[in-house]
Amino acid sequence: MPDSPLPVVAGIGLRAAHMAQVRAEHPPTGWLEVHSENFFVDGGPALAALDDIRRHYAVSLHGVGLSLGSADPLDKAHLGNLRGLIDRIEPSAVSEHLCWSHVDGRHLNDLLPLPFTEEALTLLCERIDAVQNALGRTIMVENISSYLRFSCDAMAEWEFVAALTQHAGCKLLFDVNNVYVNAVNHRFDPRRYLAAISGDSIGEIHLAGFDSSAGCLIDTHGTRVAPAVWDLYRESIERFGPKPTLIEWDTDIPALEVLLDEAAKAQRMLEACHAVAA
Amino acid sequence: MQSLRDLQRSFCAATLFGDPVALASLGIVGGRLDPKARIAVYRNNVLGNYRKAMAATYPVVQRLVGASFFAAAVDYFVRGYPSKRGDINRYGGEFALFLVSYRPARELVYLPDVARLEWAIDQAAIAADAPPFDLEALAAVPPSRQAALRFSLHPSLRIVSSPHPVFRIWRANQVDQCGEDRVDLGEGGDTLLVSRGNAGVSIERISAGERAFLAALADNATLAEAAGRAQEVEALFDLAATLRRHVAGQTIVAFRAP
């Protein structure tokens, strides 16, 4: 089932710490998302575990290293690895980030911020087109958290994201936590962001926790979703309609039950939203 | 206006190398925090990612030197040995090489070889799988033709040799501490075979003859040639027992007739 879309329910990000338990217990969660690069391997137990997971769940492949926004050429080897993994896993969705991470061949292996310029927008459109052609499918790109802005910005982040989804032919992976983090860090009203985005462009929503440090919010994925982010999530699905929603947790990973509990909360909000729509 | 490439170059120089000119050229804006503090958030994130990834690959090196010494070594390593992949899990293969000339660690003469062993373990875990050895097909080969067979090794196989007792050092520094507390550094070196079987990655000591034998097979030698090379370094090399053990243990996974 290569092209079956993600179910419009809540899912969780699956990390190595929970792999054995999920395989043994098959907890009731709508779908699972993994980081693509963790499975860029030739063989071994991690890949075998993902094969097994795929037999029981819809899986989304979420990339962190393709660096769509680099002035460097696209990393063909990376793209080849992704293509190989897609062929093997037949995921329901494939996503990446609106960021850059390598320059002059050096990878910084982090999600780094782009200036919101015409040059960056044009480059991203070209890159996303090339990636979608190489993979033979539509991808989603996620808005990231950031801790600075550049004086060369020609537009607001939401204008940049909206223009991209209009022109690049991709879907948006709308990270509500990242919108909130940026709204605090860069002092804007997150509702302006929501107002600029079209619900049809959104293929998936991410929720996660942040930490506060040195005067700004840091997107650590290391805590429960903050109350203000839940509020923004409810507003988002009321505005955009229900969307497949993921709970992400990457540092200080708690018991699986905590993630499932957060996903159940998202699921209740989705169902309330479905009920209103029906 | 600077190009996207120039901006990304400056960002890298400011983040990794603390270059003040690059930082100023970025045109970072925002209230409350100054540009230096904002780029420091990225420096902490980027270096933090590498420290975490390297600690996962090199837990024994980290234990031997302590967390803060290890973090400082990784920060220094990252600047001199750029990551070449978008997959951070595969970063750090040159750490042993780096440690050889890393002055703060020069008294720990065994440290680079411990790093070499840990990299071999890491690589063995993600190497390609291999189908089980076809014992029936081997049994069907007439004895007169066996000497000319060539054998394939499991893709996970790595051999690590050291003049230091790295296996004991490694075992004594496992979290579940399966080895002895004290290691006599003068007790001599190790030749280790790292491989992945059904139970995961394992490490075993092998003899000089066994090492020569496996290296010869990896080099596409015939069974007779490989046995000859083993006997050159180990007169009492037991070919039949060695072959049996590696076929049973799935370190030898296939054979080819001439």
Side-chain angles (χ1 to χ4, degrees):
Chain A
M1 40 175 171
D3 286 310
S4 64
L6 286 176
V8 186
V9 294
I12 60 168
L14 177 62
R15 304 294 176 256
H18 296 140
M19 185 65 96
Q21 188 182 355
V22 169
R23 289 179 71 188
E25 298 174 5
H26 297 142
T29 183
W31 50 286
L32 295 166
E33 185 163 283
V34 296
H35 284 170
S36 314
E37 288 80 3
N38 288 348
F39 302 92
F40 283 7
V41 297
D42 296 324
L47 198 53
L50 185 60
D51 287 338
D52 180 51
I53 287 289
R54 180 64 187 88
R55 285 191 279 274
H56 297 92
Y57 292 96
V59 167
S60 158
L61 294 178
H62 187 48
V64 296
L66 190 54
S67 193
L68 290 168
S70 276
D72 278 1
L74 205 52
D75 182 340
K76 291 280 162 54
H78 194 102
L79 193 57
N81 284 331
L82 180 58
R83 175 76 207 235
L85 188 63
I86 289 169
D87 289 346
R88 179 170 181 137
I89 297 300
E90 299 186 345
S92 295
V94 176
S95 53
E96 252 293 345
H97 292 84
L98 278 178
C99 70
W100 68 278
S101 45
H102 61 80
V103 60
D104 297 329
R106 178 197 270 275
H107 286 256
L108 291 163
N109 300 103
D110 197 14
L111 309 176
L112 302 175
L114 285 163
F116 301 127
T117 59
E118 292 293 343
E119 185 193 5
L121 194 56
T122 304
L123 178 84
L124 277 172
C125 287
E126 287 168 12
R127 288 293 159 79
I128 290 168
D129 190 51
V131 168
Q132 293 189 144
N133 284 333
L135 300 181
R137 64 190 295 155
T138 303
I139 63 167
M140 290 186 280
V141 291
E142 176 184 338
N143 56 298
I144 63 164
S145 283
S146 75
Y147 316 111
L148 55 77
R149 285 281 186 255
F150 300 104
S151 58
C152 61
D153 282 355
M155 61 194 101
E157 180 183 340
W158 51 88
E159 292 168 326
F160 187 85
V161 170
L164 188 82
T165 53
Q166 273 166 32
H167 301 298
C170 63
K171 289 276 195 177
L172 176 63
L173 198 176
F174 190 62
D175 191 311
V176 176
N177 183 59
N178 291 346
V179 169
Y180 182 79
V181 163
N182 287 0
V184 172
N185 287 349
H186 308 305
R187 300 187 181 188
F188 62 79
D189 180 351
R191 274 124 206 124
R192 291 188 69 187
Y193 207 128
L194 263 55
I197 302 296
S198 137
D200 292 340
S201 69
I202 299 177
E204 179 183 337
I205 290 179
H206 272 185
L207 294 170
F210 59 78
D211 282 305
S212 181
S213 150
C216 71
L217 301 187
I218 313 274
D219 179 37
T220 53
H221 297 183
T223 60
R224 282 185 184 265
V225 178
V229 174
W230 281 122
D231 290 344
L232 198 58
Y233 172 63
R234 186 184 287 110
E235 274 185 56
S236 298
I237 55 178
E238 281 168 2
R239 174 183 272 273
F240 303 131
K243 302 286 178 185
T245 301
L246 186 89
I247 302 294
E248 283 187 298
W249 209 309
D250 289 292
T251 54
D252 298 325
I253 296 177
L256 179 63
E257 288 68 26
V258 176
L259 267 82
L260 294 170
D261 188 50
E262 291 280 89
K265 186 169 174 178
Q267 182 62 33
R268 286 193 296 276
M269 289 188 186
L270 280 172
E271 281 164 14
C273 182
H274 272 298
V276 171
Chain B
M1 197 177 82
Q2 66 181 334
S3 68
L4 184 62
R5 174 174 298 283
D6 287 342
L7 180 140
Q8 291 175 343
R9 274 187 185 141
S10 297
F11 193 103
C12 178
T15 305
L16 274 191
F17 299 95
D19 181 337
V21 177
L23 177 64
S25 77
L26 282 171
I28 294 173
V29 290
R32 283 178 301 179
L33 286 180
D34 67 13
K36 212 172 161 178
R38 290 182 183 276
I39 212 77
V41 173
Y42 285 98
R43 179 176 308 121
N44 291 338
N45 285 354
V46 168
L47 293 177
N49 292 341
Y50 286 119
R51 291 172 183 177
K52 217 157 100 181
M54 292 284 282
T57 304
Y58 297 104
V60 172
V61 172
Q62 187 186 35
R63 231 174 120 105
L64 286 166
V65 300
S68 58
F69 188 105
F70 184 79
V74 169
D75 292 356
Y76 199 72
F77 172 68
V78 165
R79 292 178 176 109
Y81 293 78
S83 167
K84 295 291 184 191
R85 294 165 180 260
D87 171 11
I88 198 169
N89 303 309
R90 306 289 281 272
Y91 179 64
E94 293 156 309
F95 197 46
L97 184 68
F98 161 83
L99 287 172
V100 170
S101 56
Y102 184 57
R103 292 177 67 87
R106 69 181 157 183
E107 282 172 24
L108 306 177
V109 289
Y110 49 84
L111 204 59
D113 286 347
V114 174
R116 215 165 270 134
L117 174 59
E118 293 202 284
W119 183 252
I121 293 168
D122 196 71
Q123 295 301 292
I126 59 170
D129 299 302
F133 196 98
D134 190 345
L135 286 169
E136 283 182 26
L138 183 65
V141 176
S144 62
R145 297 182 56 194
Q146 284 174 356
L149 297 179
R150 294 172 207 275
F151 289 82
S152 311
L153 306 177
H154 193 281
S156 69
L157 217 80
R158 305 283 186 282
I159 292 173
V160 178
S161 297
S162 172
H164 310 291
V166 288
F167 193 28
R168 276 183 210 274
I169 294 171
W170 184 85
R171 278 198 308 192
N173 287 284
Q174 294 305 296
V175 178
D176 56 357
Q177 231 278 42
C178 50
E180 44 275 75
D181 290 335
R182 301 180 68 83
V183 180
D184 175 6
L185 291 177
E187 73 186 47
D190 280 324
T191 297
L192 303 173
L193 181 69
V194 177
S195 62
R196 189 184 77 232
N198 292 335
V201 176
S202 65
I203 309 167
E204 58 175 316
R205 284 202 181 94
I206 55 173
S207 70
E210 212 167 347
R211 182 206 155 100
F213 177 68
L214 292 170
L217 291 184
D219 208 20
N220 207 28
T222 65
L223 185 61
E225 289 161 355
R229 280 187 227 170
Q231 276 148 7
E232 279 169 26
V233 295
E234 188 180 319
L236 297 176
F237 178 73
D238 185 342
L239 174 63
T242 304
L243 191 58
R244 224 173 12 246
R245 197 157 60 78
H246 287 297
V247 168
Q250 286 287 311
T251 45
I252 291 176
V253 291
F255 72 94
R256 310 180 295 288

